[in-house]
Amino acid sequence: MALAELRDAIVRGDLAPGAPIRQTTAAQELGLSVIPVREALKTLAGEGIVQYVPQRGYTVTELTAESVDGIFRIRDLLEAEAEASASVRLRAEDVAAMRSALEAQRAAVAAADAQATIVSNRKFHFALLDRCDNEWLLKFIRQLWEALEPHRALVYRRAAAAGDVARAEAILAEHEGIVTAFEQEDIPLALRLLAEHRTGGRSDFHRLLPVKAAGT
């Protein structure tokens, strides 16, 4: 329970990158003792979502330009392999799940609902990735996604608050192209569009970093 609640709070953006996490306060808010909260934080630290800083305790991990590039470089390698493996096992219901997730994401963008957008975005991609038959590969991909979730929440929230729908619409268009390619059984095109989509995602995170550095 402690692990799920803390992870959800970070993904929702309730605990922003760099925010301290007080074990006693978190335990009181969750109605738990400090011990399960401490164990949950150790697990999240192992996933890279939080970090322990001596004299400061636990904080939500902040990304640097170098760490963004490092994460996306590994994602490029792992996800390209997983997507290629999954694409030959993709069933009609998997493609339908991608289409359904895209429509849910479209509705979330229209409602400026950042959390629902994040959830539907993840469902879209993992409807494909989960068809990969290498569980170890998927394990590491999920960990990389988790490491980015706090910052993804910040990206989506700021875009919604600023009324910036251009990038959100661009992401929807990219997803539309990907799912259409799968519907038409054009696997090479779908895989190429997925790779290009990750490149755009890397740029999204880089655009966030100067804003954070300026303290705005």
Side-chain angles (χ1 to χ4, degrees):
M1 175 182 173
L3 180 60
E5 289 292 337
L6 286 171
R7 181 182 280 114
D8 286 348
I10 293 170
V11 171
R12 284 194 307 269
D14 296 344
L15 293 169
I21 304 175
R22 309 300 180 194
Q23 296 183 48
T24 302
T25 301
Q28 290 174 345
E29 291 177 349
L30 295 174
L32 301 170
S33 69
V34 173
I35 294 175
V37 171
R38 182 182 301 125
E39 293 304 311
L41 288 170
K42 288 180 181 178
T43 298
L44 292 173
E47 296 175 355
I49 300 176
V50 304
Q51 61 181 350
Y52 180 78
V53 180
Q55 311 305 321
R56 290 182 58 193
Y58 287 97
T59 61
V60 180
T61 301
E62 291 188 277
L63 293 182
T64 63
E66 292 77 13
S67 59
V68 166
D69 287 338
I71 288 173
F72 273 91
R73 175 57 179 155
I74 298 172
R75 279 189 61 188
D76 283 340
L77 295 171
L78 299 188
E79 289 184 32
E81 174 70 20
E83 289 161 355
S85 172
S87 64
V88 299
R89 297 174 176 81
L90 206 61
R91 304 163 300 183
E93 52 263 43
D94 301 319
V95 178
M98 294 179 72
R99 172 63 68 182
S100 176
L102 173 56
E103 295 310 316
Q105 185 176 4
R106 205 183 303 279
V109 168
D113 187 335
Q115 176 61 12
T117 303
I118 291 170
V119 170
S120 54
N121 175 73
R122 187 178 181 117
K123 286 181 177 179
F124 177 87
H125 286 282
F126 278 88
L128 168 65
L129 290 169
D130 281 341
R131 292 299 294 156
C132 173
D133 64 347
N134 187 328
E135 185 55 39
W136 280 100
L137 187 56
L138 285 174
K139 177 181 179 180
F140 291 121
I141 289 172
R142 291 189 189 104
Q143 184 173 347
L144 292 169
W145 272 70
E146 296 291 351
L148 289 171
E149 291 293 34
H151 302 79
R152 184 174 286 109
L154 196 54
V155 168
Y156 280 58
R157 280 187 165 194
R158 281 185 171 152
D164 180 11
V165 298
R167 180 54 187 152
E169 292 292 342
I171 291 172
L172 291 174
E174 291 168 14
H175 282 184
E176 177 66 40
I178 292 165
V179 73
T180 298
F182 278 122
E183 289 170 342
Q184 297 175 350
E185 299 184 359
D186 190 340
I187 305 304
L189 174 60
L191 295 179
R192 178 172 63 80
L193 292 176
L194 282 161
E196 293 172 357
H197 182 58
R198 274 191 299 277
T199 299
R202 182 192 305 223
S203 298
D204 290 337
F205 283 96
H206 272 290
R207 281 194 292 271
L208 173 65
L209 295 173
V211 176
K212 288 168 57 181
T216 59

Coordinates of all heavy atoms in Angstrom, one line a residue, residues 40-119:
A40 N 9.2 1.2 1.3 CA 8.7 1.6 0.0 C 9.6 2.6 -0.7 O 9.9 2.5 -1.9 CB 7.3 2.2 0.1
L41 N 10.2 3.5 0.1 CA 11.1 4.5 -0.4 C 12.4 3.8 -0.9 O 13.0 4.2 -1.9 CB 11.4 5.5 0.7 CG 10.3 6.5 1.0 CD1 10.6 7.3 2.2 CD2 10.1 7.4 -0.2
K42 N 12.8 2.7 -0.2 CA 14.0 2.0 -0.7 C 13.7 1.4 -2.0 O 14.6 1.4 -2.9 CB 14.4 0.9 0.4 CG 15.0 1.5 1.7 CD 15.3 0.3 2.6 CE 15.9 0.9 3.9 NZ 16.2 -0.2 4.9
T43 N 12.5 0.8 -2.2 CA 12.2 0.2 -3.5 C 12.2 1.3 -4.6 O 12.7 1.1 -5.7 CB 10.8 -0.4 -3.4 OG1 10.8 -1.5 -2.4 CG2 10.4 -1.0 -4.7
L44 N 11.6 2.4 -4.3 CA 11.5 3.5 -5.3 C 12.9 4.1 -5.6 O 13.2 4.4 -6.8 CB 10.6 4.6 -4.8 CG 9.1 4.3 -4.6 CD1 8.4 5.5 -4.0 CD2 8.5 4.0 -6.0
A45 N 13.8 4.1 -4.6 CA 15.1 4.5 -4.9 C 15.8 3.5 -5.8 O 16.6 3.9 -6.7 CB 15.9 4.6 -3.6
G46 N 15.5 2.2 -5.6 CA 16.1 1.2 -6.5 C 15.6 1.4 -7.9 O 16.3 1.0 -8.9
E47 N 14.4 1.9 -8.1 CA 13.8 2.1 -9.4 C 14.3 3.4 -10.0 O 14.0 3.7 -11.2 CB 12.3 2.1 -9.4 CG 11.7 0.7 -9.0 CD 10.2 0.8 -8.8 OE1 9.7 1.9 -8.9 OE2 9.6 -0.3 -8.5
G48 N 15.0 4.3 -9.2 CA 15.4 5.6 -9.7 C 14.4 6.7 -9.6 O 14.7 7.8 -10.1
I49 N 13.2 6.4 -9.0 CA 12.2 7.4 -8.9 C 12.5 8.4 -7.8 O 12.2 9.6 -7.9 CB 10.8 6.8 -8.7 CG1 10.5 5.8 -9.9 CG2 9.7 7.8 -8.6 CD1 9.2 5.0 -9.7
V50 N 13.1 7.9 -6.7 CA 13.5 8.8 -5.6 C 15.0 8.6 -5.4 O 15.5 7.6 -5.9 CB 12.7 8.6 -4.3 CG1 11.2 8.8 -4.6 CG2 13.0 7.2 -3.7
Q51 N 15.6 9.5 -4.7 CA 17.0 9.3 -4.3 C 17.2 9.7 -2.9 O 16.5 10.5 -2.3 CB 17.9 10.1 -5.2 CG 17.7 11.6 -5.2 CD 18.6 12.3 -6.1 OE1 19.5 11.8 -6.7 NE2 18.3 13.6 -6.3
Y52 N 18.2 9.0 -2.2 CA 18.5 9.4 -0.8 C 19.7 10.3 -0.8 O 20.7 10.0 -1.4 CB 18.8 8.1 -0.1 CG 19.1 8.4 1.4 CD1 18.1 8.7 2.3 CD2 20.5 8.4 1.8 CE1 18.5 8.9 3.6 CE2 20.8 8.7 3.1 CZ 19.8 8.9 4.0 OH 20.1 9.2 5.3
V53 N 19.6 11.4 -0.2 CA 20.6 12.4 0.0 C 21.0 12.5 1.4 O 20.2 12.8 2.3 CB 20.2 13.7 -0.6 CG1 21.4 14.7 -0.5 CG2 19.8 13.6 -2.0
P54 N 22.3 12.2 1.8 CA 22.7 12.3 3.2 C 22.4 13.7 3.8 O 22.5 14.7 3.1 CB 24.2 12.1 3.1 CG 24.4 11.2 1.9 CD 23.4 11.7 1.0
Q55 N 21.9 13.7 5.0 CA 21.5 15.0 5.7 C 20.2 15.6 5.2 O 19.6 16.5 5.8 CB 22.6 16.0 5.6 CG 24.0 15.6 6.0 CD 24.0 14.9 7.4 OE1 23.4 15.4 8.3 NE2 24.8 13.8 7.5
R56 N 19.6 15.1 4.1 CA 18.4 15.6 3.5 C 17.3 14.5 3.5 O 16.1 14.9 3.5 CB 18.6 16.1 2.1 CG 19.4 17.4 2.0 CD 19.5 17.9 0.6 NE 18.2 18.1 0.0 CZ 18.0 18.2 -1.3 NH1 19.1 18.2 -2.1 NH2 16.8 18.5 -1.8
G57 N 17.7 13.3 3.4 CA 16.7 12.2 3.3 C 16.3 11.9 1.9 O 17.1 12.2 1.0
Y58 N 15.1 11.5 1.7 CA 14.6 11.1 0.4 C 14.0 12.3 -0.4 O 13.3 13.1 0.2 CB 13.6 10.0 0.4 CG 14.2 8.7 0.8 CD1 14.2 8.2 2.1 CD2 14.8 7.9 -0.2 CE1 14.7 7.0 2.5 CE2 15.3 6.6 0.2 CZ 15.3 6.2 1.5 OH 15.8 5.0 1.8
T59 N 14.3 12.4 -1.7 CA 13.7 13.4 -2.5 C 13.3 12.8 -3.8 O 13.8 11.7 -4.2 CB 14.6 14.6 -2.8 OG1 15.8 14.1 -3.5 CG2 15.1 15.3 -1.6
V60 N 12.3 13.3 -4.5 CA 11.9 12.8 -5.8 C 13.1 13.2 -6.8 O 13.6 14.3 -6.8 CB 10.6 13.5 -6.3 CG1 10.2 13.0 -7.7 CG2 9.5 13.2 -5.3
T61 N 13.5 12.2 -7.6 CA 14.6 12.4 -8.4 C 14.4 13.5 -9.5 O 13.4 13.6 -10.1 CB 14.9 11.1 -9.2 OG1 15.2 10.1 -8.2 CG2 16.1 11.2 -10.1
E62 N 15.4 14.4 -9.6 CA 15.5 15.4 -10.6 C 16.4 14.9 -11.8 O 17.5 14.4 -11.5 CB 16.0 16.7 -10.1 CG 15.0 17.4 -9.1 CD 15.5 18.8 -8.7 OE1 16.3 18.9 -7.8 OE2 15.0 19.7 -9.3
L63 N 15.9 15.1 -13.0 CA 16.7 14.8 -14.1 C 17.6 15.9 -14.6 O 17.3 17.1 -14.4 CB 15.8 14.4 -15.3 CG 15.0 13.1 -15.1 CD1 14.2 12.8 -16.4 CD2 15.9 11.9 -14.8
T64 N 18.8 15.5 -15.2 CA 19.6 16.4 -15.8 C 19.6 16.1 -17.3 O 19.0 15.1 -17.8 CB 21.1 16.3 -15.4 OG1 21.5 14.9 -15.7 CG2 21.2 16.4 -13.9
A65 N 20.1 17.0 -18.1 CA 20.2 16.8 -19.6 C 20.9 15.5 -19.9 O 20.5 14.7 -20.8 CB 20.8 18.0 -20.3
E66 N 22.0 15.2 -19.2 CA 22.7 14.0 -19.4 C 21.9 12.8 -19.1 O 22.0 11.8 -19.8 CB 24.0 14.0 -18.6 CG 25.0 15.1 -19.0 CD 24.7 16.5 -18.6 OE1 23.8 16.7 -17.7 OE2 25.3 17.4 -19.1
S67 N 21.2 12.8 -18.0 CA 20.4 11.6 -17.6 C 19.2 11.4 -18.5 O 18.9 10.3 -18.8 CB 19.9 11.8 -16.1 OG 19.1 12.9 -15.9
V68 N 18.6 12.5 -19.0 CA 17.6 12.4 -20.1 C 18.1 11.6 -21.3 O 17.5 10.7 -21.8 CB 17.0 13.7 -20.5 CG1 16.2 13.6 -21.7 CG2 16.2 14.3 -19.3
D69 N 19.3 12.1 -21.7 CA 19.9 11.5 -22.9 C 20.3 10.0 -22.6 O 20.1 9.1 -23.5 CB 21.2 12.2 -23.4 CG 20.8 13.5 -24.0 OD1 19.7 13.7 -24.5 OD2 21.7 14.4 -24.0
G70 N 20.7 9.7 -21.4 CA 21.1 8.4 -21.1 C 19.9 7.5 -21.1 O 19.9 6.3 -21.6
I71 N 18.8 7.9 -20.5 CA 17.6 7.1 -20.4 C 17.0 6.8 -21.8 O 16.7 5.7 -22.1 CB 16.5 7.8 -19.5 CG1 16.9 7.7 -18.0 CG2 15.2 7.2 -19.7 CD1 16.1 8.5 -17.1
F72 N 17.0 7.9 -22.6 CA 16.4 7.7 -23.9 C 17.3 6.9 -24.8 O 16.8 6.1 -25.7 CB 16.1 9.0 -24.6 CG 14.7 9.5 -24.2 CD1 14.5 10.3 -23.1 CD2 13.6 9.1 -25.0 CE1 13.2 10.7 -22.8 CE2 12.3 9.5 -24.6 CZ 12.1 10.3 -23.5
R73 N 18.6 6.9 -24.6 CA 19.5 6.1 -25.4 C 19.3 4.6 -25.1 O 19.2 3.8 -26.0 CB 21.0 6.4 -25.1 CG 22.0 5.5 -25.7 CD 21.9 5.5 -27.2 NE 22.9 4.6 -27.9 CZ 22.7 4.0 -29.0 NH1 21.6 4.2 -29.7 NH2 23.7 3.3 -29.6
I74 N 19.1 4.3 -23.8 CA 18.8 2.9 -23.4 C 17.4 2.5 -23.9 O 17.2 1.4 -24.4 CB 18.9 2.7 -21.9 CG1 20.4 3.0 -21.5 CG2 18.6 1.3 -21.5 CD1 20.6 3.1 -20.0
R75 N 16.4 3.4 -23.8 CA 15.1 3.1 -24.3 C 15.1 2.8 -25.8 O 14.4 1.9 -26.3 CB 14.2 4.3 -24.0 CG 13.6 4.4 -22.6 CD 12.5 5.4 -22.5 NE 11.4 5.2 -23.4 CZ 10.4 6.0 -23.6 NH1 10.4 7.2 -23.0 NH2 9.4 5.7 -24.4
D76 N 15.9 3.6 -26.6 CA 16.0 3.3 -28.0 C 16.4 1.9 -28.2 O 15.9 1.2 -29.1 CB 17.0 4.3 -28.6 CG 16.4 5.7 -28.8 OD1 15.2 5.8 -28.8 OD2 17.2 6.7 -29.0
L77 N 17.4 1.5 -27.5 CA 18.0 0.1 -27.7 C 17.0 -0.9 -27.3 O 16.7 -1.9 -28.0 CB 19.3 0.0 -26.9 CG 20.5 0.9 -27.4 CD1 21.6 0.8 -26.4 CD2 20.9 0.5 -28.8
L78 N 16.4 -0.8 -26.1 CA 15.6 -1.8 -25.5 C 14.2 -1.9 -26.2 O 13.7 -2.9 -26.5 CB 15.4 -1.6 -24.0 CG 16.7 -1.7 -23.2 CD1 16.3 -1.7 -21.7 CD2 17.5 -3.0 -23.5
E79 N 13.6 -0.7 -26.4 CA 12.2 -0.6 -26.9 C 12.2 -1.0 -28.4 O 11.2 -1.6 -28.9 CB 11.6 0.7 -26.7 CG 11.3 1.0 -25.2 CD 10.5 2.3 -25.0 OE1 9.8 2.7 -25.9 OE2 10.7 2.8 -23.9
A80 N 13.3 -0.7 -29.1 CA 13.3 -1.1 -30.5 C 13.3 -2.6 -30.6 O 12.6 -3.2 -31.5 CB 14.5 -0.5 -31.2
E81 N 14.1 -3.3 -29.8 CA 14.1 -4.7 -29.7 C 12.7 -5.3 -29.3 O 12.2 -6.2 -29.9 CB 15.2 -5.2 -28.8 CG 15.2 -6.7 -28.5 CD 15.7 -7.5 -29.7 OE1 16.4 -6.9 -30.6 OE2 15.4 -8.7 -29.8
A82 N 12.2 -4.7 -28.2 CA 10.9 -5.2 -27.7 C 9.7 -5.0 -28.7 O 8.9 -5.9 -28.9 CB 10.5 -4.5 -26.4
E83 N 9.7 -3.8 -29.4 CA 8.7 -3.5 -30.4 C 8.8 -4.5 -31.6 O 7.7 -4.9 -32.1 CB 8.8 -2.1 -30.8 CG 8.3 -1.1 -29.7 CD 8.8 0.3 -29.9 OE1 9.6 0.5 -30.9 OE2 8.5 1.2 -29.1
A84 N 10.0 -4.7 -32.0 CA 10.1 -5.6 -33.2 C 9.7 -7.0 -32.8 O 9.0 -7.7 -33.6 CB 11.6 -5.7 -33.6
S85 N 10.0 -7.5 -31.6 CA 9.6 -8.8 -31.1 C 8.1 -8.8 -30.9 O 7.4 -9.8 -31.3 CB 10.3 -9.1 -29.8 OG 9.7 -10.3 -29.2
A86 N 7.5 -7.8 -30.4 CA 6.1 -7.8 -30.1 C 5.2 -7.7 -31.3 O 4.1 -8.2 -31.4 CB 5.7 -6.6 -29.1
S87 N 5.7 -7.0 -32.3 CA 5.0 -6.7 -33.6 C 4.6 -8.0 -34.3 O 3.5 -8.0 -34.9 CB 5.7 -5.7 -34.5 OG 6.9 -6.3 -35.0
V88 N 5.4 -9.0 -34.2 CA 5.1 -10.2 -34.9 C 4.1 -11.1 -34.1 O 3.6 -12.1 -34.6 CB 6.4 -11.0 -35.2 CG1 7.3 -10.2 -36.1 CG2 7.1 -11.5 -33.9
R89 N 3.9 -10.7 -32.9 CA 3.0 -11.4 -32.0 C 1.7 -10.6 -31.8 O 0.8 -11.1 -31.0 CB 3.6 -11.8 -30.7 CG 4.8 -12.7 -30.8 CD 5.5 -12.9 -29.4 NE 6.6 -13.8 -29.5 CZ 7.8 -13.6 -30.0 NH1 8.1 -12.3 -30.4 NH2 8.7 -14.5 -30.1
L90 N 1.6 -9.5 -32.4 CA 0.5 -8.6 -32.1 C -0.8 -9.2 -32.6 O -0.9 -9.7 -33.8 CB 0.8 -7.2 -32.8 CG 0.1 -6.0 -32.2 CD1 0.5 -5.8 -30.8 CD2 0.4 -4.8 -33.1
R91 N -1.8 -9.2 -31.8 CA -3.1 -9.7 -32.2 C -4.1 -8.5 -32.5 O -3.8 -7.4 -32.2 CB -3.7 -10.5 -31.0 CG -2.8 -11.6 -30.6 CD -3.2 -12.2 -29.2 NE -3.2 -11.1 -28.2 CZ -3.4 -11.3 -26.9 NH1 -3.7 -12.5 -26.5 NH2 -3.3 -10.3 -26.1
A92 N -5.2 -8.9 -33.1 CA -6.2 -7.8 -33.5 C -6.7 -7.1 -32.2 O -6.9 -5.9 -32.2 CB -7.4 -8.5 -34.2
E93 N -6.9 -7.8 -31.1 CA -7.3 -7.2 -29.9 C -6.3 -6.3 -29.3 O -6.6 -5.3 -28.6 CB -7.7 -8.2 -28.9 CG -6.7 -9.3 -28.6 CD -6.9 -10.6 -29.3 OE1 -7.2 -10.5 -30.5 OE2 -6.8 -11.7 -28.7
D94 N -5.0 -6.5 -29.6 CA -3.9 -5.6 -29.1 C -4.0 -4.3 -29.8 O -3.9 -3.2 -29.2 CB -2.6 -6.3 -29.2 CG -2.4 -7.6 -28.5 OD1 -2.9 -7.6 -27.3 OD2 -1.8 -8.5 -29.0
V95 N -4.2 -4.4 -31.1 CA -4.3 -3.2 -31.9 C -5.5 -2.4 -31.6 O -5.5 -1.2 -31.5 CB -4.3 -3.5 -33.4 CG1 -4.5 -2.3 -34.3 CG2 -3.0 -4.3 -33.8
A96 N -6.6 -3.1 -31.3 CA -7.8 -2.5 -30.8 C -7.6 -1.8 -29.5 O -8.2 -0.7 -29.2 CB -9.0 -3.5 -30.7
A97 N -6.8 -2.4 -28.6 CA -6.5 -1.8 -27.3 C -5.7 -0.5 -27.5 O -5.9 0.5 -26.8 CB -5.7 -2.7 -26.4
M98 N -4.8 -0.5 -28.5 CA -4.0 0.7 -28.8 C -5.0 1.8 -29.3 O -4.9 3.0 -28.9 CB -3.0 0.4 -29.9 CG -1.9 -0.5 -29.4 SD -0.7 -0.8 -30.8 CE 0.2 0.8 -30.8
R99 N -5.9 1.4 -30.2 CA -6.9 2.4 -30.7 C -7.7 3.0 -29.6 O -8.0 4.2 -29.5 CB -7.8 1.7 -31.8 CG -8.9 2.6 -32.2 CD -8.5 3.8 -32.9 NE -7.8 3.6 -34.2 CZ -7.3 4.6 -34.9 NH1 -7.4 5.8 -34.6 NH2 -6.7 4.3 -36.1
S100 N -8.2 2.1 -28.6 CA -9.0 2.5 -27.5 C -8.2 3.5 -26.6 O -8.8 4.5 -26.1 CB -9.5 1.3 -26.7 OG -10.2 1.7 -25.6
A101 N -7.0 3.2 -26.3 CA -6.1 4.0 -25.5 C -5.9 5.4 -26.2 O -5.9 6.4 -25.5 CB -4.8 3.4 -25.2
L102 N -5.8 5.4 -27.5 CA -5.6 6.6 -28.2 C -6.8 7.5 -28.1 O -6.8 8.7 -27.9 CB -5.3 6.4 -29.7 CG -5.3 7.6 -30.6 CD1 -4.3 8.6 -30.1 CD2 -4.9 7.1 -32.0
E103 N -8.0 6.9 -28.2 CA -9.3 7.7 -28.1 C -9.4 8.2 -26.7 O -9.9 9.3 -26.5 CB -10.5 6.8 -28.5 CG -10.5 6.4 -29.9 CD -10.2 7.6 -30.9 OE1 -10.9 8.7 -30.7 OE2 -9.4 7.5 -31.8
A104 N -9.0 7.4 -25.7 CA -9.0 7.9 -24.3 C -8.1 9.1 -24.1 O -8.4 10.0 -23.4 CB -8.7 6.8 -23.3
Q105 N -6.9 9.0 -24.7 CA -5.9 10.0 -24.6 C -6.4 11.3 -25.3 O -6.3 12.4 -24.8 CB -4.6 9.6 -25.3 CG -3.5 10.6 -25.1 CD -2.2 10.1 -25.7 OE1 -2.1 9.0 -26.2 NE2 -1.1 10.9 -25.5
R106 N -7.1 11.1 -26.4 CA -7.7 12.3 -27.1 C -8.7 13.0 -26.3 O -8.7 14.2 -26.2 CB -8.4 11.8 -28.4 CG -8.4 12.8 -29.5 CD -9.2 12.3 -30.7 NE -8.6 11.1 -31.3 CZ -7.5 11.1 -32.1 NH1 -7.0 12.3 -32.5 NH2 -7.1 10.0 -32.6
A107 N -9.5 12.2 -25.5 CA -10.5 12.8 -24.6 C -9.9 13.5 -23.5 O -10.3 14.6 -23.0 CB -11.5 11.8 -24.1
A108 N -8.8 12.9 -22.9 CA -8.1 13.5 -21.8 C -7.4 14.8 -22.2 O -7.4 15.8 -21.4 CB -7.0 12.5 -21.3
V109 N -6.8 14.8 -23.4 CA -6.2 16.1 -23.9 C -7.3 17.2 -24.0 O -7.0 18.3 -23.6 CB -5.5 15.8 -25.2 CG1 -5.1 17.2 -25.9 CG2 -4.3 15.0 -25.0
A110 N -8.4 16.8 -24.6 CA -9.5 17.8 -24.7 C -10.0 18.4 -23.4 O -10.3 19.5 -23.3 CB -10.7 17.2 -25.5
A111 N -9.9 17.5 -22.3 CA -10.3 17.9 -21.0 C -9.2 18.5 -20.2 O -9.4 18.9 -19.0 CB -10.9 16.7 -20.3
A112 N -8.0 18.6 -20.8 CA -6.8 19.1 -20.1 C -6.6 18.3 -18.8 O -6.2 18.9 -17.8 CB -6.9 20.6 -19.8
D113 N -6.8 17.0 -18.9 CA -6.6 16.1 -17.7 C -5.3 15.4 -17.8 O -5.1 14.4 -18.5 CB -7.7 15.1 -17.7 CG -7.7 14.2 -16.4 OD1 -6.6 14.1 -15.8 OD2 -8.8 13.6 -16.1
A114 N -4.2 16.0 -17.2 CA -2.9 15.5 -17.3 C -2.7 14.1 -16.9 O -2.1 13.3 -17.5 CB -1.9 16.4 -16.5
Q115 N -3.3 13.7 -15.7 CA -3.2 12.4 -15.2 C -3.8 11.3 -16.1 O -3.2 10.3 -16.4 CB -3.9 12.3 -13.8 CG -3.9 10.9 -13.2 CD -2.5 10.3 -13.0 OE1 -1.5 11.0 -13.0 NE2 -2.4 9.0 -12.7
A116 N -5.0 11.6 -16.6 CA -5.6 10.7 -17.6 C -4.8 10.6 -18.9 O -4.8 9.5 -19.5 CB -7.1 11.1 -17.9
T117 N -4.2 11.7 -19.3 CA -3.4 11.6 -20.5 C -2.2 10.7 -20.3 O -1.8 9.9 -21.2 CB -2.9 13.1 -20.8 OG1 -4.0 13.9 -21.0 CG2 -2.1 13.1 -22.1
I118 N -1.6 10.8 -19.1 CA -0.4 10.0 -18.8 C -0.8 8.5 -18.8 O -0.1 7.7 -19.4 CB 0.2 10.4 -17.5 CG1 0.9 11.8 -17.6 CG2 1.2 9.4 -17.0 CD1 1.3 12.4 -16.2
V119 N -1.9 8.2 -18.2 CA -2.4 6.8 -18.0 C -2.7 6.2 -19.4 O -2.3 5.1 -19.8 CB -3.6 6.7 -17.1 CG1 -4.2 5.3 -17.2 CG2 -3.2 7.1 -15.7

